[in-house]
Amino acid sequence: MMRHLGLLLMLPALLSAQTPVLDEGRLDAGWFGPTVVFQPSKQLGFQWLKLGLDLRRRSIRVQAFEPTAWVLGKRKTKDELLLGRLEPQLVSNLAKELKRVLKTSLPVSLSEGDLQLVGRVADAVGLEEDGITMGRVSLSLDLKLVDGDTGELLAAFHETLEGGDADVLGLQYKRWCEQVGRALAPATAPLVESASATKPVPVVPLPKPAFDLEGALRRIEGLQRDGLLSEADALALKQKAAAKVH
């Protein structure tokens, strides 16, 4: 009994050990749900798309960001100051870049849509405001696409942006939003049927066989010998046969 109790007490630690640490702990996989298995991406950091994702005839509503998660814990005021400079433009820039990339293939709006795009800042690291300290700032972001009716997770993204200051991070964020749109774009393309199924097969007319004059004359002479044609009728048929050759 005590042995079983000990195993139960160790279970949370065992499960935690089996969960990979991604992005130095800044990627909280639990926020996305148990179905997500993230893959590293050069353009997006980490991404996951539902197998067979089909977004045709759908639309996206970009929701207001959830409260900052601070997955590594709040540290100093400098982190909040960095977030304060960037946060007001996060949702609007996300919607703007998605609209630019997806155009009419997947409508994007801040007020309506049957798909919900949910985002949050996972972590932020700012610089001391003393004008002397040299370093880099960073912003960690989570984003997930959810079916508004069923709550099913359809796509997930995570990235940590790094740069010299908040302005650099702002530009990097716009490019990241563009890449999110490009990752979703293939799921909006119409199905392409195979060329053999759509291309009509041309009908090629068969060539007419050459007229056999000698054979026709032999048949006419045979009918004449058998008494089935008169000499005049046979002559008329021979003339018609000869005319077909010329």
Side-chain angles (χ1 to χ4, degrees):
M1 181 68 177
M2 293 297 295
R3 180 184 178 185
H4 292 311
L5 180 60
L7 290 174
L8 290 174
L9 292 175
M10 292 173 59
L11 185 59
L14 292 173
L15 293 175
S16 176
Q18 293 173 2
T19 303
V21 177
L22 300 177
D23 195 17
E24 300 179 351
R26 290 170 290 198
L27 199 170
D28 176 17
W31 186 73
F32 297 94
T35 61
V36 177
V37 179
F38 278 103
Q39 299 295 327
S41 168
K42 184 177 180 180
Q43 290 78 23
L44 290 162
F46 295 89
Q47 71 171 17
W48 174 86
L49 298 174
K50 178 188 173 183
L51 186 64
L53 181 62
D54 185 354
L55 301 180
R56 291 172 299 161
R57 298 178 296 279
R58 308 297 296 268
S59 57
I60 290 180
R61 176 187 178 188
V62 181
Q63 294 189 329
F65 271 29
E66 294 185 357
T68 303
W70 300 110
V71 293
L72 296 183
K74 278 191 177 182
R75 287 165 298 281
K76 296 181 180 180
T77 304
K78 62 184 179 66
D79 305 329
E80 294 182 344
L81 290 174
L82 172 69
L83 183 59
R85 290 188 58 183
L86 295 171
E87 196 170 28
Q89 304 298 321
L90 293 180
V91 174
S92 59
N93 283 338
L94 175 59
K96 180 180 178 181
E97 293 302 314
L98 291 179
K99 285 182 180 180
R100 186 173 64 82
V101 173
L102 296 170
K103 298 181 173 62
T104 59
S105 63
L106 184 60
V108 178
S109 169
L110 294 175
S111 58
E112 56 185 5
D114 61 316
L115 303 174
Q116 298 176 358
L117 192 59
V118 185
R120 71 174 186 176
V121 173
D123 195 60
V125 177
L127 289 176
E128 298 290 353
E129 297 292 330
D130 55 13
I132 300 176
T133 305
M134 299 296 293
R136 295 178 67 81
V137 296
S138 68
L139 186 71
S140 301
L141 299 149
D142 293 331
L143 202 62
K144 58 185 177 183
L145 184 66
V146 179
D147 189 302
D149 295 327
T150 66
E152 180 185 13
L153 183 65
L154 303 177
F157 306 94
H158 170 89
E159 174 67 300
T160 293
L161 307 173
E162 294 183 343
D165 55 36
D167 293 334
V168 173
L169 288 187
L171 294 174
Q172 290 181 349
Y173 176 70
K174 289 183 179 181
R175 288 196 293 268
W176 184 71
C177 294
E178 175 187 346
Q179 293 301 326
V180 170
R182 296 191 184 281
L184 297 176
T188 69
L191 296 177
V192 178
E193 298 182 7
S194 63
S196 59
T198 57
K199 187 177 180 180
V201 178
V203 178
V204 180
L206 296 175
K208 293 183 179 180
F211 181 69
D212 184 7
L213 177 59
E214 292 183 1
L217 294 176
R218 287 196 299 269
R219 288 192 292 273
I220 294 171
E221 291 173 353
L223 294 172
Q224 185 180 0
R225 286 194 303 268
D226 294 339
L228 300 175
L229 287 175
S230 65
E231 183 177 352
D233 291 337
L235 180 60
L237 289 175
K238 287 180 181 180
Q239 291 174 344
K240 289 182 178 180
K244 288 186 178 182
V245 178
H246 302 291

